[in-house]
Amino acid sequence: MLAHKAEEEGTFIAETIVGQKPHIHYRLIPGVVYTWPEVAAVGYTEEEVKQEGIPYKVGSFPFKALGRARASMDVDGLVKVLAHKETDEILGVHMIGARAADMIAEAVVAMEFRASAEDVSRMSHAHPTYTEAFKEACLDATDKRAINM
Ligand SMILES: Cc1cc2nc3c(=O)[nH]c(=O)nc-3n(C[C@H](O)[C@H](O)[C@H](O)COP(=O)(O)OP(=O)(O)OC[C@H]3O[C@@H](n4cnc5c(N)ncnc54)[C@H](O)[C@@H]3O)c2cc1C
């Protein structure tokens, strides 16, 4: 939450000055750690949803079950999705593994549009790609319906 947060804040100020209606959703600014493997997250953590008493469910998918990760021999990693237990709205997405820094953008888009885990799990993701791990984790969060597990 560094340069890209500052960029949003700069835009917010400029748009305020010229009388527009700017938008910043701080909870949906992704946090990224540029290590190897990469780490990326957006939204609530599991600790936060517990603390706030939000009913939630968890879905996850390991890279070792992902075709693209196996082909690239980057099998260390997983995607974890937290969704509201009743509405299925995605509350948080956490990733560790190859390309996590890029993949988190899809989670941000989904969450800005208040997508449910099932919404994402019904969208086509090209095969073989790392992004399939997000779809599979959403399938797992929806009703333990991951296809390739
Ligand atoms: C080497 C380096 C690499 C980085 N790499 C990354 C990266 O890869 N990814 C990433 O997300 N982030 C990265 N960051 C962090 C990122 O650059 C900062 O978090 C971001 O620039 C902060 O923006 P800001 O607008 O909040 O503050 P700043 O960019 O620090 O801007 C503050 C401005 O206020 C001015 N100022 C201070 N005091 C006063 C005063 N009293 N009166 C008038 N002006 C004042 C300063 O001169 C400065 O221009 C990096 C930072 C560094 C130093």
Side-chain angles (χ1 to χ4, degrees), residues 8 12 25 32 37 40-41 52 55 61 63 68 80 85 87 103 109-110 119-122 128 134-135 141:
E8 293 302 321
F12 188 98
H25 192 166
V32 178
E52 295 196 18
F61 193 78
F63 275 27
R68 181 59 177 268
K80 174 176 162 182
K85 197 167 188 174
T87 67
M103 289 205 300
V109 172
D119 286 334
V120 173
S121 69
R122 289 184 179 279
F134 180 42
K135 173 178 174 158

PDB file of all heavy atoms in Angstrom, residues 8 12 25 32 37 40-41 52 55 61 63 68 80 85 87 103 109-110 119-122 128 134-135 141:
ATOM      1  N   GLU A   8      -3.527   7.180  -5.832  1.00  0.00           N
ATOM      2  CA  GLU A   8      -4.979   7.368  -5.656  1.00  0.00           C
ATOM      3  C   GLU A   8      -5.257   8.638  -4.844  1.00  0.00           C
ATOM      4  O   GLU A   8      -6.213   9.366  -5.122  1.00  0.00           O
ATOM      5  CB  GLU A   8      -5.603   6.160  -4.944  1.00  0.00           C
ATOM      6  CG  GLU A   8      -5.579   4.873  -5.756  1.00  0.00           C
ATOM      7  CD  GLU A   8      -6.285   4.990  -7.097  1.00  0.00           C
ATOM      8  OE1 GLU A   8      -7.341   5.641  -7.171  1.00  0.00           O
ATOM      9  OE2 GLU A   8      -5.759   4.460  -8.083  1.00  0.00           O
ATOM     10  N   PHE A  12      -7.295  11.888  -5.906  1.00  0.00           N
ATOM     11  CA  PHE A  12      -8.419  12.319  -5.047  1.00  0.00           C
ATOM     12  C   PHE A  12      -8.347  13.831  -4.795  1.00  0.00           C
ATOM     13  O   PHE A  12      -9.335  14.555  -4.928  1.00  0.00           O
ATOM     14  CB  PHE A  12      -8.365  11.558  -3.719  1.00  0.00           C
ATOM     15  CG  PHE A  12      -9.563  11.775  -2.835  1.00  0.00           C
ATOM     16  CD1 PHE A  12     -10.607  10.846  -2.810  1.00  0.00           C
ATOM     17  CD2 PHE A  12      -9.662  12.902  -2.026  1.00  0.00           C
ATOM     18  CE1 PHE A  12     -11.719  11.052  -2.005  1.00  0.00           C
ATOM     19  CE2 PHE A  12     -10.770  13.110  -1.217  1.00  0.00           C
ATOM     20  CZ  PHE A  12     -11.800  12.175  -1.202  1.00  0.00           C
ATOM     21  N   HIS A  25     -11.379   3.823  -1.841  1.00  0.00           N
ATOM     22  CA  HIS A  25     -11.852   2.792  -0.920  1.00  0.00           C
ATOM     23  C   HIS A  25     -10.596   2.172  -0.323  1.00  0.00           C
ATOM     24  O   HIS A  25      -9.993   1.280  -0.917  1.00  0.00           O
ATOM     25  CB  HIS A  25     -12.679   1.759  -1.692  1.00  0.00           C
ATOM     26  CG  HIS A  25     -13.430   0.830  -0.805  1.00  0.00           C
ATOM     27  ND1 HIS A  25     -14.431   0.013  -1.267  1.00  0.00           N
ATOM     28  CD2 HIS A  25     -13.343   0.579   0.524  1.00  0.00           C
ATOM     29  CE1 HIS A  25     -14.914  -0.689  -0.279  1.00  0.00           C
ATOM     30  NE2 HIS A  25     -14.270  -0.377   0.823  1.00  0.00           N
ATOM     31  N   VAL A  32       1.103  -5.450  -1.386  1.00  0.00           N
ATOM     32  CA  VAL A  32       1.942  -6.418  -2.100  1.00  0.00           C
ATOM     33  C   VAL A  32       3.332  -6.462  -1.475  1.00  0.00           C
ATOM     34  O   VAL A  32       3.892  -5.419  -1.126  1.00  0.00           O
ATOM     35  CB  VAL A  32       2.075  -6.037  -3.597  1.00  0.00           C
ATOM     36  CG1 VAL A  32       2.990  -7.004  -4.325  1.00  0.00           C
ATOM     37  CG2 VAL A  32       0.709  -5.985  -4.266  1.00  0.00           C
ATOM     38  N   PRO A  37       8.483 -16.336  -3.165  1.00  0.00           N
ATOM     39  CA  PRO A  37       7.304 -15.999  -3.943  1.00  0.00           C
ATOM     40  C   PRO A  37       6.683 -14.671  -3.510  1.00  0.00           C
ATOM     41  O   PRO A  37       6.902 -14.222  -2.391  1.00  0.00           O
ATOM     42  CB  PRO A  37       6.347 -17.168  -3.659  1.00  0.00           C
ATOM     43  CG  PRO A  37       6.774 -17.702  -2.339  1.00  0.00           C
ATOM     44  CD  PRO A  37       8.238 -17.485  -2.257  1.00  0.00           C
ATOM     45  N   ALA A  40       0.408 -11.085  -1.852  1.00  0.00           N
ATOM     46  CA  ALA A  40      -0.509  -9.977  -2.144  1.00  0.00           C
ATOM     47  C   ALA A  40      -1.832 -10.217  -1.429  1.00  0.00           C
ATOM     48  O   ALA A  40      -2.260 -11.359  -1.256  1.00  0.00           O
ATOM     49  CB  ALA A  40      -0.731  -9.855  -3.651  1.00  0.00           C
ATOM     50  N   ALA A  41      -2.453  -9.128  -1.024  1.00  0.00           N
ATOM     51  CA  ALA A  41      -3.721  -9.258  -0.289  1.00  0.00           C
ATOM     52  C   ALA A  41      -4.565  -8.013  -0.506  1.00  0.00           C
ATOM     53  O   ALA A  41      -4.046  -6.919  -0.739  1.00  0.00           O
ATOM     54  CB  ALA A  41      -3.434  -9.438   1.202  1.00  0.00           C
ATOM     55  N   GLU A  52     -14.478  -8.566  14.085  1.00  0.00           N
ATOM     56  CA  GLU A  52     -15.689  -7.764  13.847  1.00  0.00           C
ATOM     57  C   GLU A  52     -16.957  -8.604  13.898  1.00  0.00           C
ATOM     58  O   GLU A  52     -18.060  -8.093  13.699  1.00  0.00           O
ATOM     59  CB  GLU A  52     -15.576  -7.026  12.507  1.00  0.00           C
ATOM     60  CG  GLU A  52     -14.450  -6.005  12.552  1.00  0.00           C
ATOM     61  CD  GLU A  52     -14.521  -4.981  11.417  1.00  0.00           C
ATOM     62  OE1 GLU A  52     -15.588  -4.840  10.799  1.00  0.00           O
ATOM     63  OE2 GLU A  52     -13.485  -4.345  11.179  1.00  0.00           O
ATOM     64  N   PRO A  55     -19.927 -13.049   9.903  1.00  0.00           N
ATOM     65  CA  PRO A  55     -19.975 -14.472   9.549  1.00  0.00           C
ATOM     66  C   PRO A  55     -19.285 -14.704   8.205  1.00  0.00           C
ATOM     67  O   PRO A  55     -19.560 -13.986   7.244  1.00  0.00           O
ATOM     68  CB  PRO A  55     -21.475 -14.783   9.468  1.00  0.00           C
ATOM     69  CG  PRO A  55     -22.159 -13.471   9.330  1.00  0.00           C
ATOM     70  CD  PRO A  55     -21.244 -12.410   9.859  1.00  0.00           C
ATOM     71  N   PHE A  61      -7.075 -22.558  -2.687  1.00  0.00           N
ATOM     72  CA  PHE A  61      -6.625 -23.444  -3.765  1.00  0.00           C
ATOM     73  C   PHE A  61      -5.103 -23.392  -3.838  1.00  0.00           C
ATOM     74  O   PHE A  61      -4.518 -22.319  -3.935  1.00  0.00           O
ATOM     75  CB  PHE A  61      -7.228 -23.022  -5.105  1.00  0.00           C
ATOM     76  CG  PHE A  61      -7.055 -24.055  -6.177  1.00  0.00           C
ATOM     77  CD1 PHE A  61      -7.885 -25.179  -6.218  1.00  0.00           C
ATOM     78  CD2 PHE A  61      -6.044 -23.938  -7.119  1.00  0.00           C
ATOM     79  CE1 PHE A  61      -7.716 -26.158  -7.190  1.00  0.00           C
ATOM     80  CE2 PHE A  61      -5.863 -24.909  -8.093  1.00  0.00           C
ATOM     81  CZ  PHE A  61      -6.703 -26.015  -8.129  1.00  0.00           C
ATOM     82  N   PHE A  63      -1.280 -23.909  -5.366  1.00  0.00           N
ATOM     83  CA  PHE A  63      -0.623 -23.883  -6.674  1.00  0.00           C
ATOM     84  C   PHE A  63      -0.213 -25.284  -7.131  1.00  0.00           C
ATOM     85  O   PHE A  63      -0.073 -25.518  -8.322  1.00  0.00           O
ATOM     86  CB  PHE A  63       0.622 -22.975  -6.625  1.00  0.00           C
ATOM     87  CG  PHE A  63       0.322 -21.516  -6.859  1.00  0.00           C
ATOM     88  CD1 PHE A  63      -0.915 -20.980  -6.553  1.00  0.00           C
ATOM     89  CD2 PHE A  63       1.289 -20.674  -7.383  1.00  0.00           C
ATOM     90  CE1 PHE A  63      -1.179 -19.633  -6.773  1.00  0.00           C
ATOM     91  CE2 PHE A  63       1.035 -19.329  -7.614  1.00  0.00           C
ATOM     92  CZ  PHE A  63      -0.202 -18.803  -7.307  1.00  0.00           C
ATOM     93  N   ARG A  68      -0.823 -24.462 -14.712  1.00  0.00           N
ATOM     94  CA  ARG A  68       0.212 -23.517 -15.139  1.00  0.00           C
ATOM     95  C   ARG A  68       1.384 -23.492 -14.165  1.00  0.00           C
ATOM     96  O   ARG A  68       2.551 -23.410 -14.563  1.00  0.00           O
ATOM     97  CB  ARG A  68      -0.397 -22.129 -15.290  1.00  0.00           C
ATOM     98  CG  ARG A  68       0.566 -21.047 -15.742  1.00  0.00           C
ATOM     99  CD  ARG A  68       1.184 -21.404 -17.091  1.00  0.00           C
ATOM    100  NE  ARG A  68       2.056 -20.346 -17.552  1.00  0.00           N
ATOM    101  CZ  ARG A  68       1.675 -19.337 -18.330  1.00  0.00           C
ATOM    102  NH1 ARG A  68       0.425 -19.259 -18.748  1.00  0.00           N
ATOM    103  NH2 ARG A  68       2.529 -18.424 -18.702  1.00  0.00           N
ATOM    104  N   LYS A  80      -6.302 -17.720  -1.152  1.00  0.00           N
ATOM    105  CA  LYS A  80      -7.328 -17.907  -0.116  1.00  0.00           C
ATOM    106  C   LYS A  80      -8.372 -16.802  -0.272  1.00  0.00           C
ATOM    107  O   LYS A  80      -8.023 -15.628  -0.427  1.00  0.00           O
ATOM    108  CB  LYS A  80      -6.655 -17.828   1.252  1.00  0.00           C
ATOM    109  CG  LYS A  80      -7.600 -17.868   2.434  1.00  0.00           C
ATOM    110  CD  LYS A  80      -6.769 -17.881   3.718  1.00  0.00           C
ATOM    111  CE  LYS A  80      -7.581 -17.479   4.920  1.00  0.00           C
ATOM    112  NZ  LYS A  80      -6.775 -17.439   6.148  1.00  0.00           N
ATOM    113  N   LYS A  85     -20.637 -15.340   4.893  1.00  0.00           N
ATOM    114  CA  LYS A  85     -21.294 -16.648   4.994  1.00  0.00           C
ATOM    115  C   LYS A  85     -22.706 -16.634   4.407  1.00  0.00           C
ATOM    116  O   LYS A  85     -23.160 -17.613   3.818  1.00  0.00           O
ATOM    117  CB  LYS A  85     -21.351 -17.078   6.461  1.00  0.00           C
ATOM    118  CG  LYS A  85     -21.617 -18.554   6.631  1.00  0.00           C
ATOM    119  CD  LYS A  85     -21.353 -18.990   8.044  1.00  0.00           C
ATOM    120  CE  LYS A  85     -21.427 -20.500   8.130  1.00  0.00           C
ATOM    121  NZ  LYS A  85     -21.042 -20.986   9.443  1.00  0.00           N
ATOM    122  N   THR A  87     -24.217 -13.796   2.402  1.00  0.00           N
ATOM    123  CA  THR A  87     -24.394 -13.147   1.090  1.00  0.00           C
ATOM    124  C   THR A  87     -23.414 -13.662   0.040  1.00  0.00           C
ATOM    125  O   THR A  87     -23.602 -13.416  -1.143  1.00  0.00           O
ATOM    126  CB  THR A  87     -24.186 -11.625   1.204  1.00  0.00           C
ATOM    127  OG1 THR A  87     -22.811 -11.379   1.530  1.00  0.00           O
ATOM    128  CG2 THR A  87     -25.088 -11.020   2.275  1.00  0.00           C
ATOM    129  N   MET A 103      -1.907 -10.835 -10.037  1.00  0.00           N
ATOM    130  CA  MET A 103      -3.229 -11.479  -9.924  1.00  0.00           C
ATOM    131  C   MET A 103      -4.163 -10.775  -8.949  1.00  0.00           C
ATOM    132  O   MET A 103      -5.378 -10.893  -9.053  1.00  0.00           O
ATOM    133  CB  MET A 103      -3.057 -12.929  -9.481  1.00  0.00           C
ATOM    134  CG  MET A 103      -2.469 -13.812 -10.548  1.00  0.00           C
ATOM    135  SD  MET A 103      -2.945 -15.498 -10.279  1.00  0.00           S
ATOM    136  CE  MET A 103      -2.267 -15.823  -8.682  1.00  0.00           C
ATOM    137  N   VAL A 109     -10.837  -5.702  -8.634  1.00  0.00           N
ATOM    138  CA  VAL A 109     -11.963  -5.403  -9.533  1.00  0.00           C
ATOM    139  C   VAL A 109     -13.232  -6.085  -9.016  1.00  0.00           C
ATOM    140  O   VAL A 109     -14.293  -5.460  -8.899  1.00  0.00           O
ATOM    141  CB  VAL A 109     -11.656  -5.868 -10.980  1.00  0.00           C
ATOM    142  CG1 VAL A 109     -12.902  -5.738 -11.852  1.00  0.00           C
ATOM    143  CG2 VAL A 109     -10.525  -5.051 -11.570  1.00  0.00           C
ATOM    144  N   ALA A 110     -13.112  -7.369  -8.694  1.00  0.00           N
ATOM    145  CA  ALA A 110     -14.289  -8.111  -8.217  1.00  0.00           C
ATOM    146  C   ALA A 110     -14.872  -7.451  -6.974  1.00  0.00           C
ATOM    147  O   ALA A 110     -16.094  -7.266  -6.853  1.00  0.00           O
ATOM    148  CB  ALA A 110     -13.897  -9.564  -7.924  1.00  0.00           C
ATOM    149  N   ASP A 119     -20.009 -15.388  -8.210  1.00  0.00           N
ATOM    150  CA  ASP A 119     -19.879 -14.575  -9.434  1.00  0.00           C
ATOM    151  C   ASP A 119     -18.553 -14.888 -10.126  1.00  0.00           C
ATOM    152  O   ASP A 119     -18.509 -15.143 -11.331  1.00  0.00           O
ATOM    153  CB  ASP A 119     -19.904 -13.068  -9.102  1.00  0.00           C
ATOM    154  CG  ASP A 119     -21.287 -12.549  -8.743  1.00  0.00           C
ATOM    155  OD1 ASP A 119     -22.285 -13.146  -9.193  1.00  0.00           O
ATOM    156  OD2 ASP A 119     -21.359 -11.549  -8.002  1.00  0.00           O
ATOM    157  N   VAL A 120     -17.465 -14.840  -9.359  1.00  0.00           N
ATOM    158  CA  VAL A 120     -16.139 -15.069  -9.954  1.00  0.00           C
ATOM    159  C   VAL A 120     -16.019 -16.506 -10.445  1.00  0.00           C
ATOM    160  O   VAL A 120     -15.459 -16.774 -11.509  1.00  0.00           O
ATOM    161  CB  VAL A 120     -15.014 -14.730  -8.949  1.00  0.00           C
ATOM    162  CG1 VAL A 120     -13.650 -15.137  -9.495  1.00  0.00           C
ATOM    163  CG2 VAL A 120     -15.030 -13.246  -8.614  1.00  0.00           C
ATOM    164  N   SER A 121     -16.582 -17.419  -9.668  1.00  0.00           N
ATOM    165  CA  SER A 121     -16.422 -18.832 -10.031  1.00  0.00           C
ATOM    166  C   SER A 121     -17.201 -19.190 -11.298  1.00  0.00           C
ATOM    167  O   SER A 121     -16.975 -20.233 -11.901  1.00  0.00           O
ATOM    168  CB  SER A 121     -16.837 -19.738  -8.871  1.00  0.00           C
ATOM    169  OG  SER A 121     -18.230 -19.672  -8.668  1.00  0.00           O
ATOM    170  N   ARG A 122     -18.125 -18.299 -11.719  1.00  0.00           N
ATOM    171  CA  ARG A 122     -18.880 -18.545 -12.957  1.00  0.00           C
ATOM    172  C   ARG A 122     -18.289 -17.818 -14.161  1.00  0.00           C
ATOM    173  O   ARG A 122     -18.846 -17.880 -15.258  1.00  0.00           O
ATOM    174  CB  ARG A 122     -20.348 -18.144 -12.773  1.00  0.00           C
ATOM    175  CG  ARG A 122     -21.093 -19.093 -11.853  1.00  0.00           C
ATOM    176  CD  ARG A 122     -22.560 -18.771 -11.744  1.00  0.00           C
ATOM    177  NE  ARG A 122     -23.228 -19.719 -10.862  1.00  0.00           N
ATOM    178  CZ  ARG A 122     -23.624 -20.937 -11.227  1.00  0.00           C
ATOM    179  NH1 ARG A 122     -23.442 -21.347 -12.462  1.00  0.00           N
ATOM    180  NH2 ARG A 122     -24.201 -21.735 -10.353  1.00  0.00           N
ATOM    181  N   PRO A 128      -4.008 -22.782 -19.639  1.00  0.00           N
ATOM    182  CA  PRO A 128      -3.579 -22.772 -18.235  1.00  0.00           C
ATOM    183  C   PRO A 128      -3.045 -21.404 -17.835  1.00  0.00           C
ATOM    184  O   PRO A 128      -2.125 -20.887 -18.456  1.00  0.00           O
ATOM    185  CB  PRO A 128      -2.437 -23.800 -18.230  1.00  0.00           C
ATOM    186  CG  PRO A 128      -1.823 -23.662 -19.610  1.00  0.00           C
ATOM    187  CD  PRO A 128      -2.917 -23.209 -20.539  1.00  0.00           C
ATOM    188  N   PHE A 134      -7.489 -18.273  -8.533  1.00  0.00           N
ATOM    189  CA  PHE A 134      -8.481 -17.396  -7.897  1.00  0.00           C
ATOM    190  C   PHE A 134      -9.888 -17.941  -8.138  1.00  0.00           C
ATOM    191  O   PHE A 134     -10.711 -18.033  -7.231  1.00  0.00           O
ATOM    192  CB  PHE A 134      -8.329 -15.971  -8.437  1.00  0.00           C
ATOM    193  CG  PHE A 134      -9.290 -14.972  -7.852  1.00  0.00           C
ATOM    194  CD1 PHE A 134      -9.590 -14.966  -6.489  1.00  0.00           C
ATOM    195  CD2 PHE A 134      -9.900 -14.028  -8.661  1.00  0.00           C
ATOM    196  CE1 PHE A 134     -10.485 -14.023  -5.951  1.00  0.00           C
ATOM    197  CE2 PHE A 134     -10.782 -13.088  -8.140  1.00  0.00           C
ATOM    198  CZ  PHE A 134     -11.082 -13.096  -6.782  1.00  0.00           C
ATOM    199  N   LYS A 135     -10.163 -18.337  -9.374  1.00  0.00           N
ATOM    200  CA  LYS A 135     -11.476 -18.913  -9.683  1.00  0.00           C
ATOM    201  C   LYS A 135     -11.718 -20.170  -8.835  1.00  0.00           C
ATOM    202  O   LYS A 135     -12.801 -20.347  -8.267  1.00  0.00           O
ATOM    203  CB  LYS A 135     -11.553 -19.259 -11.170  1.00  0.00           C
ATOM    204  CG  LYS A 135     -12.823 -20.006 -11.542  1.00  0.00           C
ATOM    205  CD  LYS A 135     -12.910 -20.312 -13.018  1.00  0.00           C
ATOM    206  CE  LYS A 135     -14.132 -21.172 -13.278  1.00  0.00           C
ATOM    207  NZ  LYS A 135     -14.602 -21.108 -14.651  1.00  0.00           N
ATOM    208  N   ALA A 141     -14.800 -21.514  -1.975  1.00  0.00           N
ATOM    209  CA  ALA A 141     -15.514 -20.692  -0.985  1.00  0.00           C
ATOM    210  C   ALA A 141     -17.020 -20.772  -1.179  1.00  0.00           C
ATOM    211  O   ALA A 141     -17.792 -20.692  -0.218  1.00  0.00           O
ATOM    212  CB  ALA A 141     -15.058 -19.234  -1.095  1.00  0.00           C
TER     213      ALA A 141
END
